């Protein structure tokens, strides 16, 4: 089978595989060659596979769609994906990326709050000054 996992900016996985495992809202499922055509929504989960050489592969996905076509093509389109050869390393990498993103979002919220406070102070000063700065 052919497995292709993509996110909005890149093809993360494009490989020949013997099997695929994933999880949707109804639970975990497996896909082998000859599987019926299939479509499902993925939440936050791990898509795993065995390459045609038997080597395992993993991709942590955050929301997406998994399709099986013609019993030989498995495609995953995800909002965000992180690929790894071993679950322990993948978990560490994903947690580090989430921490970085959380810190970035926290910094953006702080900067936004500072701008709002500056705007409020400016309006209060203008109103206390009789509205001259506001053109009143």
């Amino acid at each position: 089978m052919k497995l292709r996992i993509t996110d909005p900016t890149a093809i993360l996985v494009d490989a020949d595989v013997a099997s695929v495992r994933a999880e949707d809202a109804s639970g975990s499922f497996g896909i082998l060659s000859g599987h019926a055509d299939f479509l499902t929504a993925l939440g936050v989960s791990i898509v795993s596979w065995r390459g045609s050489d038997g080597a395992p592969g993993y991709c942590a996905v955050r929301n997406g769609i998994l399709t099986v076509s013609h019993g030989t093509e498995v495609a995953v389109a995800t909002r965000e994906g992180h690929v790894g050869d071993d679950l322990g390393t993948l978990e560490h990498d994903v947690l580090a990326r989430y921490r970085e993103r959380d810190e970035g979002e926290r910094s953006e919220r702080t900067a936004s709050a500072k701008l709002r406070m500056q705007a409020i102070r400016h309006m209060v000063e203008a109103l206390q000054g009789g509205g001259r700065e506001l053109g009143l």
Side-chain angles (χ1 to χ4, degrees):
M1 292 187 304
K2 189 70 159 172
L3 172 64
R4 178 172 279 188
I5 302 176
T6 61
D7 70 11
T9 61
I11 297 172
L12 304 173
V13 176
D14 192 6
D16 291 321
V17 298
S19 64
V20 176
R21 292 200 53 79
E23 186 175 323
D24 63 10
S26 66
S28 185
F29 58 90
I31 301 167
L32 297 171
S33 184
H35 195 286
D37 286 0
F38 180 65
L39 170 79
T40 189
L42 302 175
V44 175
S45 65
I46 300 289
V47 176
S48 61
W49 62 89
R50 290 270 174 203
S52 20
D53 61 355
Y58 306 94
C59 184
V61 298
R62 183 172 64 94
N63 303 327
I65 300 293
L66 180 143
T67 61
V68 178
S69 303
H70 313 293
T72 59
E73 299 170 15
V74 180
V76 176
T78 182
R79 166 171 268 170
E80 182 178 358
H82 305 284
V83 179
D85 294 327
D86 128 333
L87 282 175
T89 303
L90 181 61
E91 178 185 25
H92 180 267
D93 292 347
V94 167
L95 289 173
R97 288 179 184 165
Y98 285 165
R99 271 193 294 275
E100 287 173 16
R101 186 175 61 222
D102 287 346
E103 288 171 11
E105 289 173 358
R106 204 175 356 235
S107 295
E108 289 172 9
R109 285 192 303 271
T110 301
S112 178
K114 286 179 181 178
L115 286 173
R116 280 194 304 273
M117 289 305 297
Q118 287 175 346
I120 290 169
R121 276 191 216 108
H122 182 70
M123 286 190 290
V124 167
E125 289 170 3
L127 290 172
Q128 288 174 342
R132 287 185 299 275
E133 291 89 0
L134 295 177
L136 300 175

